[in-house]
Amino acid sequence: MADDTLPPEGPAPGPATRLIHHPYRAPAGFDAPAVPVAKASTVFFDSVAAMRSTRWADKSGYTYGLHGTPTSFTLEARLATLEGASHVLLAPSGLAAIALVDQALLGPGDTLLLPDNVYAPSRNLAEHELRRWGINTLTYDPLDAEAFGRLLGPSTRLIWLEAAGSVTLEFPDLRGLVATARRLAPQAVIALDNTWGAGLAFDAFALGTGPDGQPLGVDLSVHALTKYPAGGGDLLMGSLACRDAGLHARLAAAHGRLGLGVGANDVEAVLRGLPSLPLRYAAQDAAARALAAHCAAQAATPGSLIRRVLHPARPDSPGHAHWAALCRAAAGLLTLEFAPEAAEGPRRAERFVEALRHFRIGYSWGGPVSLAVPYEPTQIRPAGSPFRGPLVRLCIGLEDVADLIADVDQALVCAAR
Ligand SMILES: *Cc1c(COP(=O)(O)O)cnc(C)c1O
């Protein structure tokens, strides 16, 4: 019953049946700024033949909600445009996207490389899940390309990059790391956690040219859409973008088998956030730089609680030259390194965080509300930290920057008491 209209003869259907098998169909031709929210687990087919021949993997058709809807395909297409990718998959969170990459590409005996400043749940996944499956993980110093090269070998199957690094915000030499990996482990897939750059700060698939004159780019760009693309602090989603059809096919097959569906209302919320993404990113970038400059001036005063401001655009921040050579923007994150001698262990940093009024205490970033999280250097660097004092990561929301600066100043006064 292709058009689902009521049968012409036979007994009149009951009210429940008439409510469900209703002949009205909205006309095509409704065009508006927002795409309609297509919600489905079930998708109908006109015939058994159509059911059997419809393909979702190449996005030529719809078979089941888990395998995509017009709404999710629209978001995937727009994210591909943002990054200059050919293929995008959505996952229920940024971490689920990372886990999908690890699961799809690694097997027993393979070696995985992670930067030692990696997003911590990614390291936990490797240590607790991947290890049980016979996958070996090595961590590298993201600012030491030579030492990184020494870790590469024939078993290296997947290399994660992150720029800037979570919490400590060192900016690695992405071109150097990718060129080294291509030379010494050509079989490895290079995946970038591109949440910080959001597809705006630099082009992950076109980083420049390598020493051999060949174009350099990562194979996979993974985002926590939870952060800037969603922009509201109100949903979780991840994405994986690539240019290679074969790599996409491997990831899409694993994605289908693992059941990684995303909710249509959340997809719609990200689609709603995307048009303002560049404006929000630029505003939060500018506000973070203003606050970083203010805090750096504070750090230069005698007896200041702040020892250093970590932000890739600051000349004394680790990896600043790499950031300057590659990036046109920076995200709205900065981290304050407290002076260890002035900090009484973690207590002053914690008092500072609790004294903030506009910054709320909370994880994540990219939303309208500024956030603060205190970290102990050893907590984020199990292998040994180059940072001495307690750290406080600040994520800039959309408040007036003058209010945020005043807030930090009053909280520093409170913490110093
Ligand atoms: C938040 C974040 C993730 C994980 O995203 P979720 O959606 O919270 O799972 C991954 N990488 C980085 C760098 C992040 O900031």
Side-chain angles (χ1 to χ4, degrees):
M1 242 175 23
D3 61 1
D4 205 23
T5 51
L6 299 171
E9 56 215 33
T17 305
R18 275 187 281 123
L19 280 174
I20 295 163
H21 295 273
H22 194 280
Y24 178 76
R25 291 287 172 277
F30 175 77
D31 206 6
V35 295
V37 184
K39 302 180 75 164
S41 51
T42 299
V43 173
F44 299 136
F45 302 92
D46 288 348
S47 66
V48 173
M51 178 177 238
R52 290 187 178 147
S53 65
T54 305
R55 296 280 164 262
W56 60 268
D58 62 1
K59 302 197 203 302
S60 63
Y62 306 99
T63 53
Y64 188 58
L66 199 51
H67 301 144
T69 66
T71 317
S72 65
F73 285 0
T74 302
L75 178 57
E76 289 169 4
R78 291 195 187 174
L79 292 172
T81 305
L82 173 69
E83 289 217 88
S86 323
H87 310 277
V88 170
L89 292 166
L90 300 175
S93 67
L95 185 55
I98 292 169
L100 169 61
V101 173
D102 292 349
Q103 274 185 286
L105 302 182
L106 294 168
D110 289 343
T111 299
L112 162 70
L113 258 70
L114 296 178
D116 68 8
N117 57 358
V118 72
Y119 177 67
S122 178
R123 187 199 350 259
N124 291 338
L125 173 67
E127 279 177 6
H128 297 281
E129 306 298 329
L130 303 185
R131 175 179 292 170
R132 285 192 292 114
W133 307 333
I135 297 156
N136 180 35
T137 300
L138 300 176
T139 55
Y140 64 91
D141 176 347
L143 295 181
D144 188 343
E146 216 170 293
F148 166 77
R150 288 197 291 275
L151 297 176
L152 301 174
S155 73
T156 311
R157 192 66 51 193
L158 176 63
I159 298 165
W160 276 103
L161 307 171
E162 198 172 319
S166 272
V167 185
T168 41
L169 301 173
E170 304 97 320
F171 206 94
D173 176 9
L174 287 180
R175 291 180 184 128
L177 293 175
V178 171
T180 303
R182 294 286 186 233
R183 190 160 48 84
L184 299 176
Q187 75 288 349
V189 170
I190 303 176
L192 170 72
D193 183 330
N194 202 6
T195 304
W196 181 93
L200 295 169
F202 60 91
D203 297 321
F205 295 105
L207 295 167
T209 19
D212 55 0
Q214 290 299 307
L216 285 177
V218 302
D219 297 312
L220 258 174
S221 169
V222 172
H223 291 254
L225 302 176
T226 308
K227 309 290 166 57
Y228 289 110
D234 54 356
L235 64 85
L236 294 157
M237 203 179 297
S239 66
L240 304 82
C242 70
R243 285 185 169 177
D244 183 78
L247 177 58
H248 170 70
R250 288 169 72 192
L251 294 165
H255 183 270
R257 292 178 197 124
L258 289 167
L260 301 176
V262 292
N265 285 340
D266 286 347
V267 172
E268 188 266 349
V270 178
L271 280 168
R272 222 177 135 85
L274 279 189
S276 63
L277 171 65
L279 289 175
R280 288 184 283 109
Y281 194 86
Q284 287 168 319
D285 176 358
R289 288 192 213 208
L291 185 59
H294 181 83
C295 292
Q298 260 282 341
T301 61
S304 172
L305 286 187
I306 303 175
R307 175 166 177 259
R308 183 161 56 150
V309 179
L310 302 169
H311 181 293
R314 305 243 16 118
D316 60 344
S317 202
H320 165 72
H322 303 313
W323 173 84
L326 184 69
C327 293
R328 24 178 204 270
L333 295 177
L334 65 150
T335 294
L336 306 179
E337 184 183 8
F338 277 64
E341 53 287 354
E344 300 170 20
R347 285 302 305 142
R348 281 230 163 97
E350 288 171 13
R351 284 216 299 275
F352 167 77
V353 166
E354 289 180 345
L356 290 164
R357 293 179 193 143
H358 297 308
F359 288 83
R360 302 298 306 269
I361 303 171
Y363 295 109
S364 198
W365 32 280
V369 179
S370 293
L371 299 170
V373 187
Y375 292 94
E376 275 306 295
T378 48
Q379 167 197 359
I380 48 171
R381 292 295 171 79
S385 174
F387 301 93
R388 289 194 293 137
L391 304 170
V392 174
R393 187 185 69 190
L394 299 176
C395 119
I396 305 302
L398 293 168
E399 302 93 340
D400 292 307
V401 65
D403 294 331
L404 298 179
I405 288 173
D407 194 20
V408 165
D409 281 348
Q410 68 79 24
L412 282 172
V413 171
C414 288
R417 270 189 207 126

